[in-house]
Amino acid sequence: MKYFVDVILPIPLEKLFTYSVSNDTAMELKKGMRVAVPFGKSKIYTALVFQVHTDPPVVYEAKEIHEVIDSKPLVSPLQLDHWQWMADYYMCTLGEVFRTAVPSSFLLESETLVLKNNTIHPDESELNDQEFMVLEALEHQSSLKISDVSAILDKKTVLPLLNRMLEKKYIVLKETLYEQYKPKQLRTIRLHDQFSSEEALSGLLEELSRAPKQREVLLTLFQLQAATNKPIPASDLQKKSGASAAVIKTLKNKGILEEQLLIIDRVIFEGEVTSVDGIKLSDFQLRCLQQLKSSLTNKQVSLLHGVTASGKTEVYVKLMEEYLKNGRQILYLLPEIALTTQLIDRLQSYFGEKVAVFHSKYSQNERVEVWNNVLNNAAKAQIIIGARSSLFLPFSELGLVIIDEEHENSFKQYDPAPRYHARDAAIVLATMHKAKVILGSATPSLESFYNVQNGKYGYAHMDQRYGGVQLPKIELVDIKEASRKKRMKGHFSERLIQEITETLSLKEQVILFQNRRGYAPIVECTTCGHAPQCLNCDVSLTYHQAKKQLRCHYCGYHTALEDQCMACGSATLDTKGFGTEQIEKELETLFPDAKVGRMDLDTTRGKHAYEKIIQSFTQKELDILVGTQMVTKGLDFRHVNLVGIMNADALLNFPDFRAHERSYQMLTQVAGRAGRTEKRGTVLVQTYNPYHGILQQVVMGNYTEMYSEQMAQRDEYHYPPINKIIKISFKHKDYNTLNEAATWFGKALRNVFGTQILGPEFPPVARIRNQYIKQVLVKIPRKQSLKQTKNSIKRIENSFNAISWYRSVRVIYDVDYF
């Protein structure tokens, strides 16, 4: 009987691909194991086994698999079920989920090898110098990598040469897989077993009495072994004994010392652990914990609605301890990598090496190690802290999922597919594992609070800060009036300058929030009005003063700032608007003695950049921290007494139906960084419109009024959470083709769904990376079947792709558009 295997390839294919396997291999293969398979003309991909069967493919002849990579499944059947749900719900392919879900080190890549064609014997007189050098190297080596050829010829581009040699049949090319993951090895030293007896050891020390340095190495080794039962690293022995590597090598050559290579994790916890019993919950925290426990007995998901600095983390810790005692794994999701720094320290102080971290700033090798530890349910991976990608880990005993700051839109992935929301995907994952979910926030999303109101989620509320600390005093500063009376210094009102001066004099810290990085969003010529635009996108270039650069924040294009206008040649260039960099510069002038730090995308690119800035601010090495929305997200600073919001209107006047909800959340969250210990903090909100409803609700801390007002608007205009939304984007490099295609698709949607369709319309930025964009919104009432709606859209797309003129237009789906 002939066997076949359906595999998931890490490419956007609508269907699974089928390969033939031998009977013996078919018996070995299990769902979730990796196999290497040929695809296309010569490429080899890492694929995932989906099922083994005996039905040959009808449309094509099945190729044989290249090799089996794993001896046991890398991905569990439950994970594959979750991936299938994501592919169906978010209208993408299983291959796209596969590529996103696993660390790229698991996707072994094929590498092209150059081999000599032994059937051809070229005349050396016909070879040019470069061809001769390549063939000469192949005489001594069986194969060469492309990088080897490049090094031999001292030339970067060698593919044209290899193509010519291939045409002349001097060489053949072969694809082979190479492993990307390399385990970290530690060189350790131990005494040879022949010297384990006391007699042999004393004889050895006597023998080495004439070699004092070698004797010192041995004595140091004994001291280190007495202090710890662990293997002694060679580097530690060399450092502590003061001997050179040559001395240790001599002892190894004599057979006195032995060297062993140990495979170790790259991330190791070496701190001290304090008992969770040491956490003393206040009365309202205990009440909240009981509310959560009772609600989780009846409901799978519970919302913990606690004001900023109410001590939500301590409640989580107490709950986590109970699940750990029952041998269950815990997933702790956070919206930003910046948050993990503080939280890791806190959780590791309670749970030690049970805590593992997984996010994009970790190297691929580190992520592979965390994946393997979770797969094996290792003791060092019982609690996983991570950003949205950590929900793809291979949990086997998942018991509790905590989604902190659940309102954050950072949980939504925008590109590439799957364009999933980690909060919703994690709830589905927890359902599959029969695990419980806690959503935590001081400003819950309307969706979550709507589910509480409808009785779908449980609810617990903490309306006071830990330790009886008062919520900060929020004051609106009218900068329209201040500007009219010329009482502004740069972008600082007199009131803000006064408060900063007072706070610094008390040796306390200040956070200033401006949700735009760079120096200024627009550089404009005051003579002709020209403002430099990005060559690839329909957006003005942002000025970065530190590098004297104009930079596009969409595609990364940058150019040096010219001294004169590029249009009219005038030197009258001026900046419009302001970003974090300009605030930082103004502070240096206004407060020359203050130490100012900046936290935005430009200053946090390195792996440990977040940690350094947060640590500096925590240890009071900085007086003022200027930041974008990174500073709003749950960070706990003990000495911040003043928070200044530079321009609240930029948040409110954003063209999006969620603008007011997000403004309330962001302003409340950044305000919550002030006065978290004993003294009541102050928050100053600079605005041109102090009478705006949302700003008044922020001042009063009135979440329920904001919720009611926004829900009434959402109901009236059929937006989430009343209705569901699918955003369909069309992209193409040609403006006319895009227009025509989007119009055709929009008409087809209207024929099926009628007035539920908005668009097609150009978004605020209608061209990015030389691709024009048009969008359609499909509003889906709660009563309407989401599955049938998606099937109808897919049928329209099939008809759309049948038109050759439109086939090159890219169609992108974003379900539950945020």
Side-chain angles (χ1 to χ4, degrees):
M1 188 180 285
K2 211 169 183 188
Y3 283 93
F4 299 90
V5 57
D6 290 343
V7 300
I8 306 167
L9 286 157
I11 48 179
L13 293 174
E14 288 290 341
K15 295 180 180 177
L16 302 175
F17 226 73
T18 306
Y19 290 84
S20 66
V21 287
S22 65
N23 290 13
D24 292 342
T25 306
M27 296 303 115
E28 289 173 25
L29 289 178
K30 291 186 179 70
K31 192 173 185 177
M33 285 169 65
R34 288 177 303 161
V35 290
V37 296
F39 188 78
K41 288 185 178 177
S42 61
K43 197 78 176 161
I44 295 172
Y45 281 100
T46 302
L48 211 60
V49 174
F50 191 78
Q51 64 176 345
V52 180
H53 55 86
T54 55
D55 303 324
V58 179
V59 183
Y60 53 90
E61 191 175 336
K63 296 178 183 177
E64 287 189 9
I65 65 167
H66 188 275
E67 64 177 289
V68 179
I69 297 170
D70 296 321
S71 57
K72 64 177 187 178
L74 180 79
V75 175
S76 69
L78 204 64
Q79 272 181 290
L80 286 172
D81 291 344
H82 188 234
W83 293 4
Q84 187 68 65
W85 172 83
M86 287 187 82
D88 294 341
Y89 188 83
Y90 291 107
M91 299 178 76
C92 62
T93 65
L94 206 49
E96 287 170 315
V97 182
F98 174 32
R99 179 165 278 283
T100 298
V102 301
S104 58
S105 293
F106 283 135
L107 300 173
L108 308 185
E109 304 234 343
S110 66
E111 186 168 51
T112 305
L113 294 182
V114 180
L115 291 79
K116 189 176 181 182
N117 187 354
N118 292 317
T119 61
I120 300 285
H121 302 284
D123 186 347
E124 288 187 9
S125 61
E126 294 176 3
L127 301 174
N128 63 35
D129 291 346
Q130 291 180 341
E131 290 171 343
F132 179 80
M133 287 168 75
V134 173
L135 292 176
E136 180 72 16
L138 286 169
E139 288 290 335
H140 303 288
Q141 284 177 256
S142 59
S143 65
L144 294 171
K145 295 178 184 176
I146 301 291
S147 57
D148 296 335
V149 176
S150 189
I152 290 164
L153 301 178
D154 193 22
K155 191 177 177 187
K156 283 185 179 178
T157 51
V158 294
L159 291 179
L161 168 72
L162 293 175
N163 275 331
R164 287 196 298 272
M165 293 181 75
L166 197 62
E167 286 169 8
K168 294 175 185 176
K169 298 185 179 175
Y170 295 160
I171 58 168
V172 289
L173 300 180
K174 181 186 170 187
E175 291 286 318
T176 186
L177 284 177
Y178 67 93
E179 180 73 65
Q180 291 178 298
Y181 170 66
K182 290 185 176 64
K184 186 178 181 181
Q185 295 182 323
L186 180 70
R187 278 176 56 238
T188 62
I189 301 291
R190 65 189 288 270
L191 189 67
H192 198 280
D193 291 338
Q194 70 186 61
F195 302 106
S196 55
S197 68
E198 283 191 30
E199 291 174 20
L201 194 57
S202 59
L204 174 63
L205 289 169
E206 198 172 313
E207 186 187 322
L208 293 178
S209 59
R210 294 177 185 176
K213 287 187 177 177
Q214 293 179 23
R215 197 167 187 273
E216 183 60 33
V217 169
L218 276 187
L219 292 171
T220 306
L221 181 63
F222 299 149
Q223 284 175 353
L224 291 171
Q225 282 177 333
T228 176
N229 294 322
K230 295 178 182 177
I232 307 302
S235 56
D236 285 6
L237 180 62
Q238 189 180 330
K239 188 178 176 183
K240 292 276 168 57
S241 65
S244 64
V247 175
I248 296 172
K249 189 177 180 183
T250 304
L251 287 167
K252 283 192 289 182
N253 292 340
K254 287 181 178 179
I256 297 169
L257 296 181
E258 275 185 327
E259 183 178 283
Q260 285 182 321
L261 286 174
L262 294 180
I263 293 176
I264 60 167
D265 274 6
R266 284 172 165 81
V267 182
I268 301 170
F269 172 69
E270 295 173 337
E272 292 183 8
V273 179
T274 56
S275 172
V276 176
D277 297 334
I279 298 176
K280 298 296 178 202
L281 298 183
S282 64
D283 292 343
F284 72 86
Q285 283 177 314
L286 281 168
R287 277 198 306 275
C288 176
L289 182 60
Q290 290 308 316
Q291 278 180 322
L292 277 178
K293 284 180 182 176
S294 63
S295 69
L296 287 175
T297 55
N298 306 317
K299 302 273 196 295
Q300 193 221 341
V301 184
S302 266
L303 173 67
L304 172 50
H305 183 185
V307 297
T308 53
S310 56
K312 292 188 285 292
T313 307
E314 283 72 24
V315 175
Y316 297 150
V317 168
K318 285 288 189 182
L319 208 56
M320 288 159 73
E321 186 190 24
E322 292 183 20
Y323 280 87
L324 286 176
K325 282 177 182 173
N326 296 326
R328 306 298 299 272
Q329 293 168 310
I330 295 162
L331 173 61
Y332 198 129
L333 282 177
L334 290 162
E336 279 281 355
I337 296 164
L339 280 178
T340 58
T341 307
Q342 284 190 332
L343 192 73
I344 292 160
D345 293 342
R346 288 173 77 178
L347 291 188
Q348 282 183 335
S349 69
Y350 297 129
F351 302 112
E353 67 169 13
K354 289 180 182 177
V355 178
V357 184
F358 192 86
H359 57 60
S360 59
K361 282 284 195 282
Y362 266 38
S363 70
Q364 285 302 327
N365 286 334
E366 287 167 340
R367 295 170 88 184
V368 167
E369 285 169 7
V370 175
W371 182 286
N372 289 333
N373 286 336
V374 175
L375 183 65
N376 300 323
N377 198 9
K380 57 176 67 178
Q382 294 302 296
I383 299 171
I384 304 296
I385 303 176
R388 58 177 182 251
S389 58
S390 55
L391 68 87
F392 291 112
L393 287 166
F395 297 100
S396 54
E397 291 292 334
L398 187 64
L400 179 66
V401 179
I402 296 169
I403 305 168
D404 205 8
E405 309 296 340
E406 63 83 26
H407 64 277
E408 277 290 345
N409 65 326
S410 307
F411 280 126
K412 173 76 175 173
Q413 171 152 312
Y414 293 99
D415 263 324
R419 292 169 180 83
Y420 66 99
H421 197 292
R423 179 193 63 214
D424 302 338
I427 290 171
V428 174
L429 179 71
T431 307
M432 290 177 172
H433 280 274
K434 295 184 170 57
K436 300 295 184 182
V437 182
I438 295 173
L439 307 176
S441 178
T443 53
S445 62
L446 295 193
E447 280 79 2
S448 296
F449 205 71
Y450 178 74
N451 285 328
V452 169
Q453 300 291 79
N454 287 347
K456 188 177 177 182
Y457 292 174
Y459 184 68
H461 189 210
M462 290 198 290
D463 58 359
Q464 53 187 299
R465 284 184 154 189
Y466 184 77
V469 178
Q470 284 184 292
L471 285 164
K473 182 181 73 177
I474 302 174
E475 185 182 322
L476 302 176
V477 179
D478 188 348
I479 52 175
K480 182 181 180 182
E481 188 66 18
S483 300
R484 190 177 66 80
K485 293 179 178 176
K486 296 193 167 76
R487 287 183 177 172
M488 296 285 289
K489 287 188 180 178
H491 296 94
F492 290 80
S493 62
E494 282 184 342
R495 183 81 183 89
L496 184 55
I497 292 170
Q498 177 191 335
E499 282 292 337
I500 294 173
T501 307
E502 195 175 314
T503 304
L504 294 178
S505 68
L506 295 170
K507 304 293 182 193
E508 287 168 342
Q509 292 172 298
V510 180
I511 288 177
L512 295 177
F513 169 66
Q514 170 60 11
N515 204 26
R516 184 183 281 278
R517 63 190 171 102
Y519 187 85
I522 298 170
V523 174
E524 187 181 67
C525 173
T526 55
T527 303
C528 72
H530 172 74
Q533 301 285 308
C534 176
L535 299 179
N536 311 314
C537 313
D538 282 346
V539 67
S540 60
L541 294 172
T542 301
Y543 176 42
H544 288 250
Q545 194 182 52
K547 294 183 178 179
K548 297 287 182 194
Q549 266 184 358
L550 294 171
R551 184 175 285 274
C552 174
H553 290 173
Y554 285 87
C555 70
Y557 167 80
H558 56 87
T559 182
L561 176 70
E562 300 289 338
D563 294 332
Q564 297 174 324
C565 173
M566 288 182 276
C568 70
S570 172
T572 55
L573 297 179
D574 193 17
T575 58
K576 301 282 183 186
F578 64 103
T580 49
E581 200 181 324
Q582 190 169 160
I583 298 299
E584 187 183 25
K585 291 288 178 194
E586 288 183 9
L587 283 168
E588 287 171 10
T589 308
L590 292 168
F591 304 97
D593 298 330
K595 298 185 195 76
V596 181
R598 178 159 54 94
M599 188 169 165
D600 56 26
L601 196 61
D602 297 322
T603 61
T604 55
R605 292 188 188 278
K607 180 177 178 180
H608 300 292
Y610 288 100
E611 289 177 45
K612 287 174 185 171
I613 295 170
I614 291 168
Q615 195 173 15
S616 295
F617 197 61
T618 304
Q619 294 174 355
K620 297 191 78 173
E621 291 168 15
L622 299 173
D623 299 313
I624 304 173
L625 182 64
V626 183
T628 54
Q629 58 184 322
M630 289 178 186
V631 300
T632 71
K633 298 180 180 178
L635 294 167
D636 186 17
F637 298 120
R638 306 274 87 188
H639 307 289
V640 174
N641 193 45
L642 174 67
V643 167
I645 294 159
M646 301 305 297
N647 183 6
D649 306 295
L651 302 171
L652 293 163
N653 302 325
F654 197 75
D656 190 276
F657 71 92
R658 295 186 191 274
H660 286 181
E661 177 194 359
R662 284 198 184 141
S663 298
Y664 180 90
Q665 288 165 344
M666 208 174 284
L667 293 172
T668 304
Q669 289 287 343
V670 74
R673 301 316 107 208
R676 295 174 72 91
T677 46
E678 295 169 8
K679 190 178 173 185
R680 189 183 188 190
T682 303
V683 180
L684 295 181
V685 181
Q686 294 192 152
T687 173
Y688 286 93
N689 183 8
Y691 304 105
H692 196 288
I694 288 291
L695 295 181
Q696 293 295 327
Q697 287 156 8
V698 169
V699 171
M700 302 301 292
N702 198 338
Y703 175 83
T704 50
E705 187 184 310
M706 184 278 293
Y707 172 80
S708 303
E709 194 177 281
Q710 291 303 307
M711 285 300 292
Q713 290 182 15
R714 303 279 178 92
D715 192 15
E716 185 179 352
Y717 297 108
H718 311 296
Y719 279 113
I722 308 298
N723 287 17
K724 281 193 169 287
I725 278 192
I726 298 175
K727 182 176 80 171
I728 308 174
S729 300
F730 305 92
K731 287 187 177 182
H732 198 268
K733 60 185 178 183
D734 182 71
Y735 180 87
N736 292 325
T737 305
L738 175 80
N739 251 340
E740 197 178 315
T743 303
W744 186 97
F745 209 110
K747 279 182 182 174
L749 287 169
R750 273 199 182 80
N751 289 339
V752 178
F753 301 111
T755 56
Q756 292 168 224
I757 307 301
L758 286 183
E761 291 290 341
F762 287 107
V765 180
R767 182 175 61 107
I768 296 175
R769 294 185 178 90
N770 283 321
Q771 295 270 316
Y772 290 97
I773 305 165
K774 256 196 159 177
Q775 294 173 345
V776 171
L777 288 188
V778 182
K779 294 181 180 178
I780 307 160
R782 285 273 167 185
K783 293 175 185 175
Q784 187 175 312
S785 166
L786 187 61
K787 188 176 181 181
Q788 286 178 9
T789 303
K790 289 174 185 172
N791 290 339
S792 299
I793 294 170
K794 279 290 184 183
R795 280 196 296 272
I796 292 170
E797 189 192 356
N798 291 336
S799 303
F800 177 80
N801 288 330
I803 304 167
S804 58
W805 182 253
Y806 301 153
R807 209 169 290 150
S808 58
V809 176
R810 194 169 161 220
V811 181
I812 299 163
Y813 298 107
D814 190 345
V815 181
D816 292 344
Y817 156 62
F818 263 67

